[in-house]
Amino acid sequence: MADISKIVLRMRASAGNVRFLDGLKVCTHYFGDSRTSGSHYIFKTPWRDDPLINIQNARGKMKPYQVKQVLSAIDRLKEEHNA
């Protein structure tokens, strides 16, 4: 878990510089296994209004907007878990 926490902290510090494999590890930890469609890795979330997280490998990095979406989903998941 400490490894995941460190990756999430790095994601928060620099959304434009996140290794794809690190993001994939974080998404798998929080959202389970993915479906793959070409270069897209799709993770299901527990919400009806925004049910999917979609990430892709862009030359070994995650796209910054996808990092922000993942972080937002993690925050929502933690918020709902603590409520």
Side-chain angles (χ1 to χ4, degrees), residues 20 24 28 33-43 53-57:
F20 175 76
L24 185 61
T28 301
D33 292 330
S34 67
R35 286 189 340 243
T36 306
S37 178
S39 65
H40 296 258
Y41 290 74
I42 303 164
F43 296 87
I53 297 289
N54 175 22
I55 65 172
Q56 63 193 117
N57 189 344

Side-chain angles (χ1 to χ4, degrees), residues 1 4-5 8 25-32 74 77-78:
M1 179 64 171
I4 297 295
S5 300
V8 171
K25 184 186 286 189
V26 168
C27 288
T28 301
H29 174 79
Y30 283 103
F31 306 110
I74 290 170
L77 195 63
K78 286 181 176 182

Side-chain angles (χ1 to χ4, degrees), residues 15 20 22 27 32-33 38 44 48 60-61 68 70 77-81:
F20 175 76
D22 286 343
C27 288
D33 292 330
K44 189 171 180 166
R48 288 180 164 260
K61 303 277 186 185
K68 291 174 186 174
V70 169
L77 195 63
K78 286 181 176 182
E79 185 178 295
E80 290 181 4
H81 182 66

